[in-house]
Amino acid sequence: MPLLDDDTLAGSAVVANSAMNRERRLAGVNSYARELGFDPVDVLTGLLRVTGSPETVAWLDLCCGTGRAVIEAAGRLAEAGLAERVLIEGLDLVDAYDPAPAVPWLRLTTASATSWQPARRYDLITSVHGLHYVGDKLAVLERASSWLTPGGRFVADLDLANIRLASGTPAGRRLVSDLREAGFSYDGRRRRIGRDDRADVALPYQYVGADPDAGPNYTGQPAVNSHYTRRPLNR
């Protein structure tokens, strides 16, 4: 099968037409709180209570879609009088955001999660069904790990069936072992990956390209298969 590099993948129909995270709200039936298992605003306010410091607490949402959830979060924190102590940033490949207030505690950035470089670290990083449409998924895991603050939290939806070896076979249990050895947790039932501290991670995989014609994954929506060769672990 012909595999695409990430620049070419960005223009493919499955990525351009992705609607998985376009309308999802912060709380409710179709929401971040339901998908992640927690409300990001509760996490941010909890951190402010625990630290009691004037330092800014920051949340980065990768593949934020229209940004509806992060915009709602910024509004809730402003209503609680906490906006000046937080930074909420949404990142997406497509500039199709809902109307948002021009306030310093909310940023909507248009860029690829595989190449963008942040100017700071984050206490919380999430990606709700966004990695399904990314080419080099493992690179995003590595990069997000390095963007966390010490003790920071990363949570994302990830279907390991969409991570393949160069031959096309699923990376399987060996990938799960490699991820856990690198400090990630993985919930196979919920298809959710996470970690709870900053780290410089180098997974033993070399990206070789993406297949945008992989078809639907467990969500019922078309997804992208990411293909890798496995390198020996450095012991």
Side-chain angles (χ1 to χ4, degrees):
M1 77 194 78
L3 298 178
L4 306 184
D5 60 39
D6 279 7
D7 287 341
T8 307
L9 177 68
S12 69
V14 66
V15 174
N17 294 333
S18 168
M20 278 296 296
N21 207 28
R22 296 298 172 192
E23 306 300 327
R24 190 167 279 112
R25 307 183 71 91
L26 185 64
V29 176
N30 182 30
S31 70
Y32 273 45
R34 179 164 183 170
E35 293 297 326
L36 296 170
F38 60 86
D39 187 325
V41 168
D42 291 342
V43 172
L44 298 178
T45 55
L47 286 170
L48 289 171
R49 286 195 301 269
V50 169
T51 62
S53 75
E55 294 183 7
T56 300
V57 170
W59 169 32
L60 171 65
D61 186 41
L62 301 172
C63 309
C64 69
T66 61
R68 180 168 297 181
V70 294
I71 294 168
E72 289 181 358
R76 277 178 52 186
L77 288 162
E79 291 172 359
L82 299 172
E84 293 183 358
R85 297 180 61 197
V86 300
L87 171 64
I88 299 175
E89 187 158 4
L91 181 81
D92 201 83
L93 187 64
V94 179
D95 183 5
Y97 308 118
D98 284 355
V103 292
W105 58 85
L106 173 64
R107 296 176 186 167
L108 295 171
T109 302
T110 305
S112 169
T114 60
S115 59
W116 175 72
Q117 290 291 344
R120 60 160 299 145
R121 291 180 181 170
Y122 300 87
D123 301 277
L124 176 65
I125 300 177
T126 59
S127 183
V128 178
H129 292 299
L131 293 182
H132 307 322
Y133 310 101
V134 170
D136 194 350
K137 297 172 176 56
L138 299 184
V140 175
L141 299 184
E142 293 173 341
R143 289 161 61 80
S145 298
S146 71
W147 298 342
L148 290 170
T149 58
R153 185 179 186 185
F154 168 71
V155 184
D157 296 297
L158 180 65
D159 188 356
L160 295 188
N162 292 132
I163 299 180
R164 304 288 176 117
L165 300 178
S167 63
T169 58
R173 293 182 179 178
R174 195 168 193 180
L175 173 60
V176 176
S177 297
D178 290 335
L179 289 168
R180 288 176 174 158
E181 185 166 337
F184 294 96
S185 61
Y186 187 71
D187 184 332
R189 184 174 68 85
R190 293 184 174 88
R191 297 176 179 86
R192 184 183 295 162
I193 192 164
R195 70 174 306 121
D196 291 318
D197 200 3
R198 183 197 177 276
D200 293 317
V201 174
L203 294 166
Y205 293 86
Q206 179 67 45
Y207 180 58
V208 295
D211 174 17
D213 299 317
N217 67 1
Y218 74 99
T219 66
Q221 298 292 319
V224 171
N225 277 352
S226 305
H227 291 249
Y228 297 85
T229 56
R230 189 179 186 279
R231 301 187 301 264
L233 282 169
N234 293 323
R235 301 289 187 182

